[in-house]
Amino acid sequence: MYTRKNDMEQDVERAAVRFVCDLFERNRRLSEGPVIDQVDEEVLREVEAMGIPAEGRPLEDVVLDMEHDVIGYGYNCDHARFMGMVPGPTSAVSWLGDMIASGYNRHAGGVANYPAGCRAEQVLLRWLCNQAGFPQTATGVFTSGGSMANMTASIAARDARLPQDRWGDGVAYISEQTHSSAAKGLHMIGVPDARIRKIPVDEGMRMRVDELERAITADEQAGLRPFLVIATAGTTNTGAVDPLREIAGICDAHDLWMHVDGAFGASVLLTRYRDMLDGIELADSLTWDAHKWLFQTYSCGMVLVRDAHDLLRSFATHPEYLKDLEESAAEDALINPWELSPELTRPARGIKLWFTLQVMGSEGMARSIEHGFDLARWAEDELRRTPGAEVVTPAQMAMCTFRFCPDGLDAAALDELNQRVSQRMLASGYAGIFTTEIGGKKVLRICAIHPRTSEGEMREVVRRLAALADEEAAVMRGVQVGTSR
Ligand SMILES: Cc1ncc(COP(=O)(O)O)c(C=O)c1O
């Protein structure tokens, strides 16, 4: 029987078709425009004034408000010259996969709700576990991102290594360069700051294994229970990789859980540079974000574990109202995702990645990731030719950090100068480059993972940054001279 569309359905359909076409075109041409769509106060006031109406408004009007007022402003992270943040550019294919998945709106907490989709996610997770070199017992689950993946792994680690009556003695080890989400996740599961050790790093920004071993031994001697080391494969600041094999050896010797935060860097496993991650296969768990270097729309993170039981131990629940779902999963020989993570209701997050890999193939994906290595090298090369530019950490993965150090400015002024260079570049709309701090100094950081950024653009970004630094230096020297008079 054919059911006629009602007026609302017709409106939604018309708006959806127009909106999708417009949006596709907007995304396709994004890199021709500025890296930031600045919002002005008037727009913010308009959004405020819209409030929440008692009676609905015409759909077309609200769609236009969404496009022009609500969603249309901000950093264009998908832009080819936006190099400011790790969660980076999205492929149009992922965007389409995401729309299909959200359009079907499967409740992806249980196998029965989306049996074939769940199978596709499992095939994908198994393939990713294989890339990591994990054994056949391994599994994983999609999370909203790296932060939740790190927290999920910390819970699994605690439950695997600490009896409940010793949770209060558990000690975890991270490095000075570990992403803040690791300590945040530990905090969320009740590990206080006083039992999170920040291990110093070496000159390459890697966790120092001698310091790690010393700290663990000291804690053991103090009667505490070291239970977890969080190593990083691709740090947020510099792209450094901790000495994974050596850390695994220490974890093994002291019976600690080894988690690797590969939110950014695990994608290197798919490339010809995979040897950089030697030792990752020894980890108990691994964070891997597809919304970073696998070009997926947010939110698409993963936690992989070398043994499925380590997630089941922490997260499997069997309430009476889910028994029907449990039985159908058992028939399918698949594990319900809700038994592997803190979430019950969840979107089918993995489907867009599965869809993307079906379209691109693993080789296409590898080529796209490898381009990031080239971009960082071109940036470093251009910086080394630029007078007054100092490469602080060389190209590692898709990262390079640097600062401009013109003569005649003191340390505080140099920090200020580099900050201003970042702000002015952003305001110019040409590129998005942010600052971070290394060794107490403000530095600029390029994280260049866009597959369509060209060598010419990368070099031009550096040249424009250098020109801005020259201009700012001239202004600041004037100010410094003025103040000292
Ligand atoms: C190494 C690393 N771990 C974890 C995270 C947090 O990931 P998310 O923002 O997806 O929660 C990031 C984010 O940039 C990261 O670079």
Side-chain angles (χ1 to χ4, degrees), residues 147-167:
S147 303
M148 293 313 288
N150 283 340
M151 188 191 75
T152 305
S154 294
I155 295 170
R158 178 199 61 195
D159 295 346
R161 291 292 187 277
L162 295 177
Q164 291 204 3
D165 59 352
R166 298 297 304 273
W167 281 10

Side-chain angles (χ1 to χ4, degrees), residues 86-87 144-148 150 179 181 232-236 261-264 287 289 291-292:
V86 182
S144 61
S147 303
M148 293 313 288
N150 283 340
H179 189 267
S181 61
T232 305
T235 59
T236 315
D261 179 358
F264 164 55
T287 287
D289 266 359
H291 64 208
K292 294 192 168 73

Side-chain angles (χ1 to χ4, degrees), residues 38 60 88 188 195 218 238 287 396 398 420 422 436 468 485:
Q38 306 269 12
E60 279 289 338
M188 286 192 279
R195 282 190 280 103
T238 70
T287 287
Q396 293 187 94
R420 286 194 202 175
S422 158
T436 184
L468 290 172
R485 256 190 223 129

Side-chain angles (χ1 to χ4, degrees), residues 256-475:
L256 269 67
W257 180 284
M258 176 179 173
H259 175 64
V260 175
D261 179 358
F264 164 55
S267 297
V268 173
L269 286 167
L270 307 185
T271 71
R272 63 174 189 269
Y273 303 107
R274 57 167 294 129
D275 288 352
M276 287 175 72
L277 305 187
D278 173 60
I280 204 166
E281 68 281 6
L282 303 170
D284 293 292
S285 54
L286 171 64
T287 287
W288 190 342
D289 266 359
H291 64 208
K292 294 192 168 73
W293 219 353
L294 294 177
F295 316 111
Q296 298 304 295
T297 57
Y298 315 130
S299 58
C300 197
M302 286 167 269
V303 59
L304 309 181
V305 288
R306 66 186 303 108
D307 189 336
H309 289 107
D310 286 321
L311 288 180
L312 290 169
R313 181 193 295 113
S314 296
F315 301 111
T317 50
H318 310 282
E320 62 285 5
Y321 39 81
L322 293 177
K323 286 267 185 294
D324 298 341
L325 295 187
E326 266 189 80
E327 275 155 29
S328 28
E331 280 164 29
D332 238 330
L334 284 175
I335 305 175
N336 284 305
W338 93 70
E339 300 187 60
L340 298 170
S341 96
E343 292 182 315
L344 173 54
T345 306
R346 55 188 286 275
R349 291 194 183 94
I351 292 301
K352 57 195 174 192
L353 179 58
W354 178 88
F355 182 78
T356 306
L357 284 162
Q358 295 293 323
V359 175
M360 288 178 80
S362 61
E363 289 298 322
M365 180 60 85
R367 283 191 293 276
S368 293
I369 300 166
E370 285 164 5
H371 186 64
F373 282 77
D374 292 338
L375 287 170
R377 280 196 289 258
W378 291 324
E380 181 184 343
D381 178 65
E382 194 61 36
L383 283 160
R384 293 205 186 276
R385 298 159 189 256
T386 306
E390 178 199 335
V391 173
V392 178
T393 58
Q396 293 187 94
M397 300 195 175
M399 303 259 198
C400 182
T401 67
F402 55 99
R403 66 201 303 252
F404 294 100
C405 306
D407 295 337
L409 295 180
D410 61 23
L414 287 178
D415 282 356
E416 174 66 21
L417 174 128
N418 283 282
Q419 182 74 62
R420 286 194 202 175
V421 167
S422 158
Q423 287 162 348
R424 284 196 54 195
M425 182 55 112
L426 198 59
S428 79
Y430 186 73
I433 313 285
F434 292 145
T435 65
T436 184
E437 282 166 29
I438 293 180
K441 291 177 185 161
K442 189 138 315 246
V443 304
L444 293 155
R445 185 192 66 163
I446 278 175
C447 177
I449 58 178
H450 202 299
R452 295 233 211 107
T453 314
S454 67
E455 177 177 356
E457 281 177 298
M458 189 73 255
R459 291 186 185 276
E460 180 63 15
V461 167
V462 173
R463 285 194 285 265
R464 289 193 189 205
L465 288 169
L468 290 172
D470 285 346
E471 283 176 30
E472 284 301 323
V475 173

Side-chain angles (χ1 to χ4, degrees), residues 91-104:
S91 89
V93 180
S94 162
W95 177 65
L96 178 57
D98 197 356
M99 283 203 298
I100 297 172
S102 78
Y104 275 85

